[in-house]
Amino acid sequence: IDRRFHLKERVSSALAMSEEEQATPLGQALVDDAERRVRRVHLAEHFRISPGRQMLLPLIPIALTVLVVLVVSPAVRNQAQANTDAGVKKQIEESTKGLKRKLKEKTDEARKKGLEDAEDLFRRLEEGTDDLADRSEGKRKKALVKLNDLARQINERRQELGGADKMRKQLNQLKNVERGPADEFLKAVQQGDFSKAMEKLEELKQKLAQGELNQEQREQLAEQLDQMKSKLQKLADAHRQARQDLERRIDEARREGRDAEADKLQQQLDALQQQRPQMDQLQDLANKLGQCANCVRQGQPKDAQEMLDSLQADVAGLQQQLQEMEMLDEALA
């Protein structure tokens, strides 16, 4: 696959890594980059099936059928073709109606969830199906061109939202945190269930506001938030360090004339750079967790609630992005 699609060892490099190597920031970046590239290729283009001679045997009765058709009167053939065309047109009309109905349902669903971009794309897809059932071949072709263009836009939007899914994978590494009041929130975040995570944050806010946590529980909560902050900070720092190391190695390779090696390192750096927005989000979450821990520890429940509000908004944003990604996947299908 690498050779035939000119992927420069992306797939083989990703598959050759051990589990430990895949867990590193560079390993995750390489795997994500390989997955992103492979999604764009169509294997049939360069891995065609070459039929053997035995596969020609079924062609014999087909050839005989062709001979029979050739001696049938043109009137019979024309009538048969007309019946076939009518059947195909009817099938297209029925399929288009079903597709339009599904797209209308998805448009309404996106509107209810407040996903404005997805709603707009679904509405345009719905409008794009209007000419599919038209008996004019020109209009059908125009409709297909329009739908293909919309599919490209949907795919581009999906890639923009890919950061939410990567964030979910990163947050799965929040393990081995001490027990405390934030257990349920932490569990939900690890599982990528951002909707439940928002509920648990709301419960924590209420407990802080109503003074339901005693001194020991507040200390446990502060410690949990600090540990989560430290783990996210390590992920962000490791990613930043990996980028800096690659930049240094690329400069050295260029100075020493090892251009091929530098190009390969540059691909790795590009893969890491694509993850930078998610790392910035992790850094922001780490900062807010740390500030919230300090507020809890210093007996400032109001300030702690404000930080939890901000965290809740971030988690809600991730949840909305994941919902939109799922809907766009359905749209592409």
Side-chain angles (χ1 to χ4, degrees), residues 85-300:
D85 290 345
V88 170
K89 289 176 180 177
K90 183 178 180 181
Q91 185 178 6
I92 290 175
E93 289 173 0
E94 292 176 352
S95 299
T96 302
K97 287 179 182 177
L99 176 61
K100 195 173 180 68
R101 184 178 63 255
K102 289 181 180 178
L103 290 170
K104 177 68 168 60
E105 292 172 357
K106 291 299 176 185
T107 302
D108 294 340
E109 183 182 348
R111 184 186 305 112
K112 290 177 182 177
K113 292 181 177 179
L115 306 175
E116 295 180 0
D117 290 331
E119 179 190 351
D120 179 60
L121 287 170
F122 275 117
R123 183 184 295 108
R124 289 160 64 193
L125 274 174
E126 186 183 348
E127 294 170 354
T129 61
D130 289 339
D131 291 332
L132 281 179
D134 195 287
R135 296 182 181 274
S136 166
E137 184 178 356
K139 283 195 173 182
R140 286 206 301 270
K141 286 184 177 180
K142 184 178 179 181
L144 288 172
V145 170
K146 184 177 180 180
L147 288 173
N148 280 331
D149 184 56
L150 284 171
R152 178 184 56 78
Q153 294 178 41
I154 289 173
N155 198 41
E156 289 175 354
R157 174 61 179 164
R158 194 197 176 285
Q159 290 179 9
E160 290 176 7
L161 297 170
D165 190 45
K166 292 184 176 70
M167 278 287 289
R168 179 163 55 181
K169 294 177 182 177
Q170 295 285 359
L171 292 171
N172 182 252
Q173 300 183 51
L174 285 174
K175 301 174 181 178
N176 302 321
V177 174
E178 291 186 11
R179 302 295 302 274
D183 285 348
E184 293 299 318
F185 164 68
L186 179 58
K187 183 179 178 181
V189 168
Q190 283 180 298
Q191 295 174 346
D193 189 346
F194 294 137
S195 180
K196 187 175 181 180
M198 287 188 291
E199 293 177 9
K200 297 306 174 182
L201 276 177
E202 184 64 31
E203 291 177 8
L204 276 176
K205 285 193 320 185
Q206 294 301 321
K207 288 179 180 179
L208 283 171
Q210 297 170 11
E212 295 180 10
L213 299 180
N214 58 35
Q215 180 63 30
E216 182 180 359
Q217 290 173 322
R218 289 197 298 272
E219 290 176 359
Q220 289 175 342
L221 176 59
E223 184 61 28
Q224 280 187 302
L225 296 174
D226 259 340
Q227 289 184 20
M228 283 188 265
K229 176 242 180 180
S230 296
K231 290 180 180 295
L232 294 182
Q233 186 69 56
K234 285 181 180 179
L235 288 173
D237 290 344
H239 188 270
R240 182 165 48 252
Q241 186 61 51
R243 290 202 318 267
Q244 293 173 354
D245 289 345
L246 279 172
E247 290 171 352
R248 176 181 53 78
R249 291 170 61 190
I250 290 170
D251 289 341
E252 290 178 357
R254 295 288 187 205
R255 286 197 303 270
E256 296 172 6
R258 292 179 281 118
D259 290 337
E261 180 182 348
D263 290 341
K264 191 171 182 179
L265 291 172
Q266 185 63 50
Q267 291 176 8
Q268 297 176 14
L269 179 59
D270 292 342
L272 282 179
Q273 293 286 15
Q274 289 169 3
Q275 289 186 345
R276 190 163 184 173
Q278 292 84 58
M279 291 302 114
D280 290 342
Q281 279 184 292
L282 281 182
Q283 181 67 67
D284 186 50
L285 285 175
N287 293 338
K288 290 177 180 177
L289 285 166
Q291 293 174 31
C292 188
N294 290 334
C295 293
V296 172
R297 190 173 284 116
Q298 295 170 9
Q300 300 171 337

